[in-house]
Amino acid sequence: MAKFHFIIIFSIFLSCNSFAQTIITGKISDQTNQVLPGSSVYIKGSYIGTVSNSQGNFNIKIPKIYQSSKLSISSIGYQTKEVSLNKLITPLFVKLQKDTAQINEVLVMPKDTLLALLRRAYGKIKDNYPDVDTRMKGFYRESYYNPDKNEYLYFGEAIVDVFKTPYNNTSEGQVKVVESRMNKHPLYHNYSSVMWYGGLHFPLTSDDVKRRASYLSPNDFKKYDYSIYKDKLDNQPVYRIEYTPKENKKASYKGKFYLDIISLAYLYCERTYTDYGLEKRNKSLSLHGLSVTQRTKRLKYKYWNGKYYFSYISDTENLYNTKTQSDLIQYNEYLTTDINSKDAKPIPFAEQAELRDVFYLKAKDIKESNWQDQTLIQADSSLTKLMEYSPNESESLLHKEHKLPKGYQFKQKLMKVLTNIYTDIYIGAKSNISIAPANIIYSPSPDLSFNKSIDTNNNQELSWGIKIGYKLNSHFDINYDWQEAIGKNISKLESLGLAYETPIINRGRQLLLMCGVNYFFSQEGIHVGDFKSASNFKAGGKKFNADKIALYVGQKKQGVSFDLGLRSKLKKFYSLFVMGGYQFNLQEQDRLFIQEKSGFFLTRKKANISLKNSSIKYFEDGVQTSTTSFDTDNFNLKVGIRVML
């Protein structure tokens, strides 16, 4: 019989102002008095529960509203026992009887029949799981542990609020941190330079059923070999499906999942890395001096009010630090403690945690947290020895004193600043306005004269640019923008701006409305031609002695511009945006731009002088003038990618 230990670790610490509570303690064993760690204890009809620890002991707080309900006690391989709460005497000693039903029976099933069963289970996702938006309250824990030194590099917990869209699609949801607390080892950066992203979003990103994971999807059945067994989970008959990648297919995971025999709902999933998965993961970690030896994810769904809801996930990653030659364990755990499926609304934009948020940086230090005197979860976890400790030990870890080395606080502040910086890389487009046939004669010295005719038509001018911004909060940021033309003509712009963004679609894949105001400085001109410079000359206070120079006729401008656009998140670090803008020119000067085109590119000189300068004779339609009709459209369009750490 293949065994696994799955833990649901939760006991809500409800406010005394809202509910009266009864604390029930107990011990769970079998008929031979052998203790049963990891047994599930919960109030029927609720999401309130706990599990027994390694000695079989448990305690649970019963709110007054449930004191006429029943307490359900179960363990894998044993018959479930129910006790009426209004007749219960504490401490409670529970003896569970072995389930004599045959389990773990191998089913011989034709391949086509097995795949048909899996297709039916996949097709019933929309029926078995929520078909409306839901809001879930949950508990999140994250730690980074050095077993060689028996030292936590950090240990943190959070109460989170999760918004999930219906299971009939794979669109994303949102997460809000309600409370958080963390204790950090001051020498964390000496042990590891890695920042772990996305943990707070585990109930969204690791919900394999919602995301239609590869091993569940009929489109990818050809990648795996499947085996089916009769088994039991939480005292109910199930199908256990084990899967492994085929040799000629590159898949990152192998594992198993459990199906309810009647509804074919997915109840439990467990997956570990294949050799290919380890290789792929190690490539991403190698730059940080880390290698992974194994990673295991476990997730469970619970039946409530006619549907199956995401209940629990744990993620354990065993690592080796090649720089310090030490083992490390990175652990994440999330548990749903409450569900609201009636008129659930998305989380307001300003309250949302970003997918790229690093819990290590975002969590409040235990000394600053208002959440210090409560323990939301009161249970041990037998999923991994790393997490086998009592609530008192949890409090001890959170309040452990560390001596801060010099520079520690500076490093912390620097990392927080870096995670608020974003970079936009984009392509811009706007139209040039044609000018009449023109001619320019530029004589910077008596022995030099550059003469050229100019003729142009309306055309699109492309440019590329980089914007660096700093997020002040969820809505506002300040930024610096720089862009330059692609092609022969000159078009350079620098600006300082203030931007604002807010969602216009705040569920699933968000669509954000962006707007901004900027003060800009620009240079725009049409290419006159490239000339050989046989001797030195001065222009704009600079000495030019290049073998080759380029001349441009155009304008220097400064003014105010306004932007309006849309942005949609693609992945953890990236989002796509499109933006239109309009410039209001407050000052314009007609100029001749001069640039060296030879020599080392970083030392090439640039200058500009007024078309009124005595060394310039400029003609349009045969008439000498000191102004040019060359200009660019004030409208512009940008398309690009935003990158945030």
Side-chain angles (χ1 to χ4, degrees):
M1 170 180 168
K3 293 185 178 179
F4 67 91
H5 295 288
F6 181 81
I7 301 309
I8 303 179
I9 44 171
F10 54 113
S11 175
I12 305 178
F13 200 103
L14 297 174
S15 169
C16 293
N17 294 329
S18 301
F19 298 98
Q21 298 185 15
T22 299
I23 299 178
I24 294 174
T25 62
K27 187 167 187 174
I28 305 172
S29 62
D30 63 11
Q31 297 295 318
T32 65
N33 293 323
Q34 180 73 33
V35 297
L36 297 176
S39 298
S40 176
V41 182
Y42 70 95
I43 303 170
K44 288 198 69 175
S46 80
Y47 244 83
I48 301 173
T50 185
V51 295
S52 59
N53 64 16
S54 54
Q55 286 76 47
N57 297 317
F58 71 90
N59 61 57
I60 184 171
K61 295 180 185 290
I62 311 296
K64 185 176 181 180
I65 58 173
Y66 291 115
Q67 289 178 3
S68 61
S69 301
K70 289 184 178 182
L71 194 67
S72 178
I73 303 104
S74 64
S75 187
I76 295 174
Y78 293 84
Q79 295 180 13
T80 299
K81 191 168 188 176
E82 294 182 356
V83 181
S84 295
L85 289 169
N86 56 6
K87 298 178 181 179
L88 189 149
I89 299 175
T90 187
L92 177 65
F93 296 94
V94 180
K95 289 189 176 183
L96 297 181
Q97 186 173 348
K98 277 211 175 236
D99 192 338
T100 58
Q102 185 180 12
I103 61 175
N104 206 31
E105 178 185 342
V106 179
L107 296 178
V108 180
M109 185 179 291
K111 179 180 177 181
D112 290 344
T113 304
L114 173 55
L115 295 183
L117 176 72
L118 297 181
R119 287 190 184 93
R120 283 182 59 206
Y122 186 85
K124 289 172 69 66
I125 289 176
K126 62 183 182 299
D127 301 320
N128 286 325
Y129 299 86
D131 54 1
V132 296
D133 293 337
T134 56
R135 286 284 285 269
M136 306 189 308
K137 288 290 178 63
F139 178 85
Y140 176 75
R141 176 181 287 148
E142 182 176 315
S143 65
Y144 201 31
Y145 180 68
N146 183 345
D148 298 334
K149 296 181 179 294
N150 192 26
E151 185 80 67
Y152 282 86
L153 303 186
Y154 65 81
F155 179 91
E157 299 173 334
I159 302 172
V160 295
D161 186 0
V162 181
F163 171 79
K164 297 191 80 164
T165 56
Y167 275 69
N168 57 16
N169 61 71
T170 60
S171 61
E172 298 175 0
Q174 301 141 9
V175 175
K176 170 187 175 181
V177 177
V178 180
E179 294 282 1
S180 64
R181 55 189 182 185
M182 178 173 282
N183 197 3
K184 307 171 184 178
H185 195 290
L187 296 178
Y188 171 76
H189 298 290
N190 291 358
Y191 291 104
S192 178
S193 59
V194 176
M195 293 293 175
W196 304 96
Y197 292 89
L200 289 167
H201 282 248
F202 260 30
L204 302 174
T205 59
S206 293
D207 185 344
D208 285 1
V209 176
K210 180 77 160 70
R211 292 170 63 87
R212 310 302 198 265
S214 173
Y215 64 89
L216 302 178
S217 173
N219 293 333
D220 292 322
F221 283 170
K222 60 183 178 292
K223 294 182 180 179
Y224 302 95
D225 287 321
Y226 296 89
S227 301
I228 185 169
Y229 305 83
K230 275 187 178 180
D231 208 332
K232 279 207 167 185
L233 179 69
D234 293 342
N235 204 40
Q236 69 181 83
V238 294
Y239 292 125
R240 186 179 86 246
I241 314 295
E242 296 184 358
Y243 63 93
T244 56
K246 295 180 179 178
E247 290 184 4
N248 61 337
K249 300 293 182 184
K250 290 187 175 182
S252 295
Y253 289 98
K254 60 183 178 181
K256 59 186 176 183
F257 56 93
Y258 290 70
L259 295 176
D260 180 77
I261 285 181
I262 298 174
S263 67
L264 295 184
Y266 302 95
L267 305 178
Y268 173 83
C269 304
E270 180 177 315
R271 51 188 168 100
T272 60
Y273 275 137
T274 60
D275 291 341
Y276 171 72
L278 288 172
E279 179 185 347
K280 190 175 178 181
R281 179 65 169 165
N282 279 323
K283 284 182 179 179
S284 67
L285 293 175
S286 60
L287 293 176
H288 305 284
L290 292 175
S291 63
V292 59
T293 57
Q294 192 47 269
R295 185 178 189 177
T296 303
K297 282 191 177 184
R298 300 176 175 93
L299 52 150
K300 191 173 185 181
Y301 300 83
K302 184 175 178 181
Y303 187 75
W304 182 74
N305 277 4
K307 297 290 182 180
Y308 291 88
Y309 290 84
F310 188 83
S311 172
Y312 176 84
I313 181 170
S314 70
D315 182 9
T316 309
E317 189 164 22
N318 296 67
L319 303 157
Y320 181 74
N321 190 320
T322 56
K323 295 178 181 178
T324 60
Q325 296 185 340
S326 60
D327 293 319
L328 295 166
I329 302 174
Q330 203 271 336
Y331 186 83
N332 304 71
E333 186 173 46
Y334 166 83
L335 176 75
T336 298
T337 57
D338 187 42
I339 288 176
N340 174 25
S341 58
K342 185 177 180 181
D343 299 325
K345 303 296 182 185
I347 297 170
F349 179 66
E351 300 175 11
Q352 295 172 16
E354 293 273 5
L355 181 60
R356 59 184 177 77
D357 281 350
V358 178
F359 186 60
Y360 171 77
L361 296 175
K362 297 293 182 179
K364 292 182 180 178
D365 188 277
I366 186 64
K367 296 177 182 178
E368 301 172 357
S369 174
N370 296 321
W371 177 36
Q372 296 188 40
D373 300 323
Q374 304 176 44
T375 302
L376 184 69
I377 301 300
Q378 293 192 344
D380 291 351
S381 170
S382 60
L383 283 173
T384 165
K385 290 182 178 180
L386 172 64
M387 301 302 290
E388 285 186 355
Y389 58 83
S390 69
N392 289 335
E393 288 175 301
S394 174
E395 289 296 309
S396 174
L397 288 170
L398 286 166
H399 290 90
K400 184 175 180 179
E401 292 291 336
H402 296 294
K403 292 183 180 180
L404 298 179
K406 292 181 180 180
Y408 168 72
Q409 291 182 341
F410 172 76
K411 289 181 179 179
Q412 289 292 96
K413 291 178 180 179
L414 178 61
M415 288 303 301
K416 287 185 178 181
V417 168
L418 291 177
T419 56
N420 282 330
I421 294 174
Y422 69 83
T423 302
D424 288 349
I425 303 172
Y426 62 86
I427 297 293
K430 58 183 176 181
S431 298
N432 285 340
I433 299 174
S434 64
I435 65 173
N439 179 260
I440 187 168
I441 302 171
Y442 174 47
S443 304
S445 64
D447 57 338
L448 279 178
S449 182
F450 307 112
N451 190 334
K452 190 74 174 181
S453 297
I454 312 167
D455 195 4
T456 185
N457 296 314
N458 285 358
N459 59 78
Q460 290 292 320
E461 187 74 56
L462 295 179
S463 60
W464 69 278
I466 297 177
K467 178 190 284 187
I468 308 293
Y470 183 82
K471 299 287 291 185
L472 301 174
N473 53 45
S474 298
H475 289 287
F476 288 96
D477 69 76
I478 53 176
N479 55 75
Y480 166 76
D481 194 0
W482 175 92
Q483 69 181 68
E484 185 167 338
I486 299 172
K488 285 190 172 183
N489 290 346
I490 186 173
S491 178
K492 297 182 180 181
L493 180 142
E494 293 180 89
S495 69
L496 294 174
L498 175 69
Y500 173 85
E501 65 179 9
T502 190
I504 55 177
I505 297 178
N506 193 30
R507 61 185 306 280
R509 187 180 293 277
Q510 285 181 328
L511 184 64
L512 301 172
L513 176 68
M514 302 190 299
C515 53
V517 58
N518 317 280
Y519 197 87
F520 71 88
F521 300 86
S522 69
Q523 298 179 0
E524 296 169 329
I526 184 173
H527 182 239
V528 173
D530 296 335
F531 301 90
K532 294 284 186 179
S533 173
S535 58
N536 300 343
F537 66 91
K538 284 188 176 182
K542 297 179 181 179
K543 185 177 180 180
F544 287 79
N545 58 0
D547 295 330
K548 188 178 180 181
I549 64 169
L551 301 181
Y552 308 84
V553 171
Q555 295 180 325
K556 281 180 63 176
K557 300 177 182 178
Q558 58 179 290
V560 178
S561 64
F562 296 92
D563 298 325
L564 188 66
L566 298 172
R567 180 168 72 90
S568 179
K569 298 177 183 178
L570 297 177
K571 289 188 176 181
K572 188 182 302 181
F573 304 106
Y574 308 101
S575 55
L576 176 69
F577 69 88
V578 58
M579 179 174 290
Y582 187 83
Q583 296 179 352
F584 291 92
N585 302 319
L586 302 180
Q587 188 179 73
E588 298 180 8
Q589 298 177 0
D590 297 288
R591 314 292 285 181
L592 175 67
F593 300 98
I594 307 157
Q595 293 187 4
E596 291 182 348
K597 301 292 285 184
S598 61
F600 184 53
F601 73 98
L602 291 179
T603 61
R604 293 176 184 174
K605 299 183 181 66
K606 300 176 183 179
N608 62 85
I609 57 178
S610 172
L611 288 182
K612 297 178 181 179
N613 191 287
S614 59
S615 63
I616 299 173
K617 294 181 180 179
Y618 179 66
F619 302 85
E620 284 193 10
D621 269 341
V623 178
Q624 186 171 349
T625 178
S626 61
T627 61
T628 177
S629 59
F630 173 80
D631 204 350
T632 56
D633 199 334
N634 288 331
F635 287 100
N636 61 79
L637 181 68
K638 301 174 185 175
V639 178
I641 297 290
R642 174 166 295 183
V643 182
M644 295 190 75
L645 292 177

